[in-house]
Amino acid sequence: MIYYNNIYMQRYDFLARYAINTKSNCTIKPNINRFNEYMKRLLTIYIFLVGMSTMLLAQSFTLRGKVMNEKMSPIGFATVMCQSQGKVAMTDLHGEFTLRLQSADSVTVKFSMLGYKSKIRTLRSPRGRQNLQIVLYPDAQTLDEVQVTEMKRQTGQTQEIKKELLKRMPGTNGNSVESLIQTQAGVSTHSELSSSYNVRGGAFDENSVYINNVEVFRPFLVRSGQQEGLSIINPDMVDKIGFSTGGFEAKYGDKMSSALDITYKNPQHFEASAEASMLGASAYAGFGGKNFSWSNGLRYKTTKYLLGSMETDGEYKPNFLDYQTYLHFTPNKRWTIDFIGNISDNHYNFYPESRETKFGTMENVKSFKVYFDGQEKDLFRTFFGSLGITRNIGRNTSLSLIGSAFYTKEQEKYDIQGQYWLTQTETSENLGVGTYFQHARNYLSAHVENLKLLFKHKAKQHNIESAITIKREHIDEQSAEYEMRDSSGYNIPNTPDALNMIYTMRADNALNATRTEFYAQDTYRFTSAHEHTFFTLNYGVRMSHWNFNRETIFSPRLSLGIVPAFSQNTTFRIAAGLYYQAPFFKELRDTTTRHGITYATLNRNAKSQRSVHFIAGMDYRFNVSQRKYKFTAEAYYKALSRLTPYCINNVKVTYFDAGEASGHAMGLDFKLYGEFVPGRDSWLSLSLMDTKMKIGGKSIPLPTDQRWGFNLFFTDYFPGTDRWTMTLKLSYADGLPFSAPHREIVDNSFRAPAYKRADIGMSYRLLGNDDRSHKSIFKNIWLGIDCLNLFDLDNVNSYYWITDVVGQQYAVPNYLTGRQINAKINFEF
């Protein structure tokens, strides 16, 4: 500062002397005193401004840089913090950050990210611009099998679920991915035998599932959880699980309720596992290198032991077999080839013998007893394959051509006769006696071929994605069903001049159609002017045309995630969009009754059901006793229109052509996720919901109107050791509405009892990778035992209706499985 004063005062003296020496030559004599005073003021102001700017420049600096992991891949949403100055920033999608700080003798900056070891850098007298390249390494100071809590912040409508939670989870259906989904907020299920689930009042058919950007399908004729085999998702091959309960992106297809996005893994070295239990077995092997990886999974499931705990005694012979393979090949940086193949062969054979069910209240107990004769034989055989070729155009742009094909052959055949007695247990009064006979010969074959052209581009703040898909669909159906009932020697319905069945259905349909789909979307990440508030904006549009009903649908979608400057641990999310449920085979089946026979035909005038989503939610991260937690709350409202009324029996969804209906689904979802036990991930969720459907001037609840639901997923280990682990799944949910047969679209005046179930599993690591006492080919050996339906509670899945000769109807509950023990052993190589 003194140096600058001397220079400028010297300049002033020179100007003053020059003005004095030349005054005699000036035609106008200047006022020397006035001039001197004016120049002094100007120079004083100039010196002050220069000095202050110099001091400010000397006191502040700009810190820029990039945060990466050990593989030199960018880490997004990492925290960059200077605690002494109260300044914080977050890295963008490319791991880059900018932070303006005040200079000092030493400035300490901390870099952190959940799941990684924090790193601290001290800058000595920083000036101007400073650049840092930071590498964070995974936090290895955790127990084996400890899960990393929420490594990725959720700023969109798709949450990431950790695949490690699939291990050693107790379950009955062998489909651990779907079982994990069923514990999420807003998701419900009322059958432990099924992998199907309802999301926020939607039907089973309203959930889309993707594997490596390819939409997959379920069998069409499945009507009960007992028939269900293994789902197409192999948990041993899963790398990432993304799930959205609403407001999802435009890239996910024309379904109204949810989207499940599965990504299969590319092993970098040899890995293998095998498991055997009383409910089945599985084996997995994968290996790979720098440019090549290959995974193979084989699964076998049998529920014979489990079904034996149901009230219907007989000989159960369920056998389900599934094989999958995934090949990933990168010959060079420009090309990538992916192939997925799947073969699934599911058989369900059943020879019923007898059944006794007691139901009612403590003061009014009824007994329903049946003796059976006959059998059921079902077949569900599916083939699926996809081939994707990707051309990488530079580092941030790619173009993929993906072809896939799905084929299914399904048969449902049964002839079962039952002779029943309905008795009042207190008085032994015979309320009804009769015989029923059920017959079905249902055959279906279908194949769907897809061709998809996918474009992706990543800019500094944008992720752009667009695709066009052409689907060719072909389905053949031949079905014949009937049911005869005789009560006390009288046929029902009792007609004096004809012998009619209580139910008869025939169908002979063929569907040949082409569906064209297009979508474009962009994810834009940006910050506020002061770079302290972070925004994630996803916007897109989806279009589809189906030549079968000549319908074109247009679906705009928008979501915004905000990380505010006042709280980096808080995320706000809002989303809105127009969603459609494009009709497929089930929605097309229109029934008409002529002469007591119901004929099922395909309705070419069926239109897409429509749902407008409005969603607002928030996440809050916090620590308690150095344990990480996240609390999530979300409110939603879905305005439903052009609804096709339907009913649900077990897992079979039957649609009615009763005119278009409208309605709504609204509710609140809460979830607390975190380390209830140090180092272990657990969560509990609470869902509140209200649904209504308006049809024919009357308002009734939707068949999936679960008014409240509570789920707990809890993991623990024995103190002082990582060899013993425990997993507990607990569900407590409101029962679903139901009605008498053939009155489903008139009223749902009854409601089933609440669904209550607890499954617990204990695992012991017999051999671990830290055992060095002897050489072994095994990485880990786990012994496990599960107690399914821990409290042996009777849960109702559906009802069988009995009508006596005077027209009195009785709803006999069909109970699910009782308490069972399942032992298993797992080998990891």
Side-chain angles (χ1 to χ4, degrees):
M1 192 70 178
I2 296 175
Y3 171 75
Y4 284 117
N5 286 342
N6 292 335
I7 292 176
Y8 292 126
M9 292 305 297
Q10 291 175 8
R11 291 180 180 178
Y12 166 72
D13 292 341
F14 170 76
L15 290 173
R17 287 196 300 270
Y18 176 77
I20 295 173
N21 293 333
T22 57
K23 65 179 180 178
S24 60
N25 298 329
C26 297
T27 56
I28 301 177
K29 295 181 179 180
N31 190 326
I32 298 301
N33 293 331
R34 200 175 210 180
F35 176 78
N36 290 343
E37 187 67 24
Y38 179 72
M39 290 300 295
K40 284 181 179 180
R41 291 180 180 178
L42 287 178
L43 287 173
T44 301
I45 294 173
Y46 180 71
I47 292 169
F48 175 78
L49 293 175
V50 171
M52 288 300 297
S53 62
T54 304
M55 290 177 64
L56 290 174
L57 289 173
Q59 291 177 357
S60 65
F61 69 98
T62 300
L63 178 62
R64 300 178 183 271
K66 187 173 184 179
V67 179
M68 299 168 289
N69 60 18
E70 75 281 4
K71 297 180 181 179
M72 306 310 291
S73 299
I75 300 178
F77 298 102
T79 301
V80 183
M81 181 175 61
C82 179
Q83 188 172 3
S84 62
Q85 300 183 19
K87 297 292 185 67
V88 65
M90 295 183 67
T91 60
D92 59 17
L93 188 65
H94 301 277
E96 298 175 353
F97 68 91
T98 301
L99 193 62
R100 192 168 185 82
L101 301 171
Q102 298 298 315
S103 182
D105 290 339
S106 64
V107 178
T108 300
V109 182
K110 182 179 180 180
F111 303 86
S112 60
M113 179 64 182
L114 292 176
Y116 292 86
K117 292 182 178 179
S118 299
K119 184 168 288 189
I120 296 176
R121 286 288 182 267
T122 301
L123 307 177
R124 303 296 180 184
S125 301
R127 298 287 189 274
R129 292 187 177 181
Q130 301 287 325
N131 290 281
L132 289 177
Q133 300 290 326
I134 302 298
V135 178
L136 298 182
Y137 294 92
D139 188 357
Q141 296 186 12
T142 55
L143 298 173
D144 185 42
E145 298 298 325
V146 170
Q147 316 308 330
V148 178
T149 305
E150 292 288 317
M151 287 184 60
K152 186 176 181 181
R153 182 190 297 267
Q154 181 186 341
T155 56
Q157 287 302 114
T158 301
Q159 62 173 313
E160 185 174 322
I161 302 174
K162 299 304 177 184
K163 64 176 182 178
E164 291 82 3
L165 298 171
L166 301 174
K167 295 182 178 180
R168 282 165 285 285
M169 182 176 64
T172 59
N173 56 38
N175 302 312
S176 55
V177 173
E178 289 85 349
S179 297
L180 196 63
I181 295 297
Q182 291 169 354
T183 66
Q184 303 301 310
V187 184
S188 63
T189 182
H190 288 77
S191 175
E192 65 273 7
L193 295 173
S194 173
S195 61
S196 301
Y197 49 87
N198 308 111
V199 178
R200 292 178 174 176
F204 301 133
D205 301 327
E206 298 178 14
N207 308 310
S208 59
V209 180
Y210 287 80
I211 298 180
N212 287 20
N213 295 311
V214 178
E215 186 174 9
V216 296
F217 299 89
R218 293 168 53 90
F220 295 90
L221 293 182
V222 172
R223 57 181 172 82
S224 67
Q226 294 93 311
Q227 296 173 317
E228 276 197 30
L230 293 158
S231 78
I232 193 172
I233 304 174
N234 188 324
D236 293 327
M237 301 172 65
V238 170
D239 182 42
K240 296 180 181 179
I241 305 173
F243 181 65
S244 175
T245 55
F248 39 87
E249 303 169 13
K251 67 179 181 179
Y252 299 120
D254 298 312
K255 302 287 186 180
M256 291 199 305
S257 291
S258 74
L260 176 59
D261 192 354
I262 301 296
T263 302
Y264 276 175
K265 61 185 176 182
N266 299 313
Q268 301 300 311
H269 50 76
F270 176 78
E271 57 184 31
S273 65
E275 181 174 291
S277 74
M278 300 171 69
L279 300 178
S282 65
Y284 162 77
F287 59 90
K290 183 178 180 180
N291 300 323
F292 174 84
S293 67
W294 189 20
S295 303
N296 295 270
L298 181 66
R299 293 178 294 164
Y300 170 73
K301 169 186 169 182
T302 176
T303 54
K304 178 179 180 180
Y305 168 69
L306 185 66
L307 296 177
S309 65
M310 301 180 70
E311 291 188 329
T312 301
D313 296 325
E315 186 178 2
Y316 293 90
K317 291 184 177 180
N319 294 286
F320 311 112
L321 186 65
D322 175 271
Y323 168 74
Q324 288 193 42
T325 183
Y326 173 44
L327 177 66
H328 176 81
F329 178 50
T330 306
N332 52 53
K333 294 182 178 180
R334 293 184 177 183
W335 294 96
T336 301
I337 300 174
D338 293 278
F339 171 75
I340 297 177
N342 170 246
I343 300 175
S344 180
D345 190 50
N346 302 319
H347 296 261
Y348 176 73
N349 299 328
F350 177 42
Y351 306 88
E353 295 176 357
S354 63
R355 164 186 173 175
E356 183 173 7
T357 303
K358 293 184 178 181
F359 62 99
T361 63
M362 294 293 293
E363 297 79 15
N364 184 13
V365 181
K366 295 179 176 61
S367 175
F368 178 66
K369 194 167 186 178
V370 189
Y371 292 97
F372 295 102
D373 185 23
Q375 63 180 350
E376 176 178 358
K377 289 188 175 183
D378 303 327
L379 168 67
F380 304 95
R381 182 177 293 138
T382 61
F383 301 88
F384 170 76
S386 71
L387 177 65
I389 302 176
T390 300
R391 174 66 161 87
N392 296 313
I393 309 171
R395 294 180 56 186
N396 300 320
T397 307
S398 65
L399 187 66
S400 302
L401 183 64
I402 305 173
S404 64
F406 167 80
Y407 172 80
T408 180
K409 179 181 179 181
E410 304 175 22
Q411 298 178 5
E412 185 183 40
K413 301 183 294 183
Y414 56 82
D415 292 284
I416 296 177
Q417 176 181 280
Q419 295 179 326
Y420 65 86
W421 286 263
L422 183 63
T423 307
Q424 188 75 38
T425 57
E426 295 86 357
T427 61
S428 299
E429 178 185 359
N430 194 353
L431 301 177
V433 61
T435 303
Y436 68 85
F437 182 80
Q438 295 175 328
H439 165 90
R441 292 294 184 271
N442 299 328
Y443 304 93
L444 184 142
S445 63
H447 57 87
V448 180
E449 294 82 28
N450 293 348
L451 187 63
K452 181 177 184 178
L453 184 64
L454 174 63
F455 171 79
K456 292 184 178 181
H457 176 70
K458 290 184 179 180
K460 185 174 182 180
Q461 294 177 290
H462 294 267
N463 275 8
I464 301 171
E465 183 174 329
S466 181
I468 184 170
T469 305
I470 299 176
K471 295 183 180 180
R472 181 63 182 167
E473 304 160 344
H474 177 81
I475 300 177
D476 283 321
E477 176 203 21
Q478 294 83 35
S479 296
E481 299 179 4
Y482 66 80
E483 180 178 352
M484 184 274 294
R485 290 192 190 178
D486 181 290
S487 180
S488 300
Y490 292 90
N491 186 71
I492 299 177
N494 188 9
T495 53
D497 55 349
L499 180 63
N500 294 327
M501 302 294 178
I502 192 171
Y503 167 73
T504 304
M505 189 277 293
R506 296 177 184 174
D508 188 359
N509 298 309
L511 170 68
N512 287 284
T514 301
R515 197 186 305 262
T516 305
E517 300 173 346
F518 168 80
Y519 75 84
Q521 69 174 44
D522 176 31
T523 301
Y524 176 37
R525 292 179 171 88
F526 58 98
T527 60
S528 62
H530 300 290
E531 299 187 356
H532 290 158
T533 300
F534 295 83
F535 300 88
T536 301
L537 176 65
N538 179 273
Y539 56 96
V541 64
R542 186 177 186 90
M543 297 180 65
S544 177
H545 176 77
W546 200 31
N547 68 348
F548 184 81
N549 62 357
R550 300 176 298 278
E551 180 187 32
T552 301
I553 55 179
F554 178 80
S555 174
R557 307 174 186 182
L558 176 72
S559 67
L560 177 65
I562 305 172
V563 181
F566 62 82
S567 176
Q568 296 294 312
N569 291 320
T570 304
T571 304
F572 296 104
R573 299 189 309 274
I574 56 175
L578 177 60
Y579 294 83
Y580 288 90
Q581 178 74 20
F584 200 37
F585 178 72
K586 291 183 180 180
E587 294 92 330
L588 293 177
R589 296 177 89 243
D590 184 14
T591 57
T592 58
T593 302
R594 299 191 302 269
H595 306 295
I597 301 177
T598 300
Y599 296 91
T601 58
L602 301 183
N603 181 12
R604 286 186 173 272
N605 296 320
K607 300 300 181 182
S608 298
Q609 303 177 77
R610 185 165 55 198
S611 175
V612 182
H613 291 196
F614 300 98
I615 301 172
M618 61 85 67
D619 297 336
Y620 178 65
R621 299 163 179 262
F622 60 97
N623 290 344
V624 176
S625 300
Q626 298 182 346
R627 303 179 195 174
K628 300 179 179 67
Y629 291 90
K630 185 179 80 168
F631 174 74
T632 299
E634 200 163 84
Y636 63 91
Y637 181 86
K638 298 196 290 187
L640 309 175
S641 59
R642 305 200 315 195
L643 289 179
T644 302
Y646 65 92
C647 71
I648 298 177
N649 184 13
N650 205 312
V651 298
K652 182 180 180 179
V653 181
T654 303
Y655 293 89
F656 303 98
D657 182 25
E660 292 184 357
S662 61
H664 74 264
M666 62 181 181
L668 296 170
D669 291 333
F670 304 96
K671 181 179 178 180
L672 180 62
Y673 180 99
E675 299 180 12
F676 297 4
V677 173
R680 298 286 171 171
D681 286 350
S682 303
W683 64 82
L684 59 86
S685 64
L686 173 66
S687 300
L688 306 173
M689 184 177 66
D690 174 76
T691 69
K692 285 292 185 294
M693 178 174 61
K694 296 180 180 179
I695 181 171
K698 191 171 183 178
S699 179
I700 61 175
L702 286 172
T704 55
D705 181 52
Q706 178 182 283
R707 296 170 298 184
W708 50 268
F710 173 83
N711 287 291
L712 171 66
F713 185 89
F714 179 74
T715 57
D716 197 358
Y717 58 90
F718 279 33
T721 178
D722 60 346
R723 290 185 176 273
W724 283 96
T725 65
M726 185 275 291
T727 303
L728 172 67
K729 283 173 46 183
L730 188 148
S731 297
Y732 186 30
D734 186 28
L736 299 181
F738 68 98
S739 65
H742 313 299
R743 295 185 59 85
E744 293 86 356
I745 60 176
V746 178
D747 69 322
N748 280 332
S749 55
F750 305 107
R751 189 171 287 271
Y755 181 82
K756 305 176 288 291
R757 185 176 177 89
D759 297 331
I760 188 170
M762 299 289 295
S763 297
Y764 173 72
R765 192 174 65 174
L766 182 64
L767 177 67
N769 53 12
D770 55 351
D771 295 336
R772 300 295 183 225
S773 57
H774 61 279
K775 294 183 178 180
S776 174
I777 63 172
F778 300 108
K779 178 181 177 182
N780 290 298
I781 299 179
W782 289 89
L783 301 178
I785 184 168
D786 299 339
C787 184
L788 308 172
N789 195 357
L790 177 64
F791 303 110
D792 198 24
L793 300 173
D794 292 329
N795 289 306
V796 179
N797 186 40
S798 59
Y799 289 87
Y800 185 80
W801 289 84
I802 296 296
T803 306
D804 60 21
V805 70
V806 297
Q808 179 70 36
Q809 290 185 311
Y810 301 91
V812 181
N814 296 316
Y815 291 114
L816 289 165
T817 59
R819 183 193 293 125
Q820 290 290 92
I821 301 297
N822 179 36
K824 55 188 178 181
I825 183 170
N826 178 273
F827 301 90
E828 297 177 5
F829 301 91

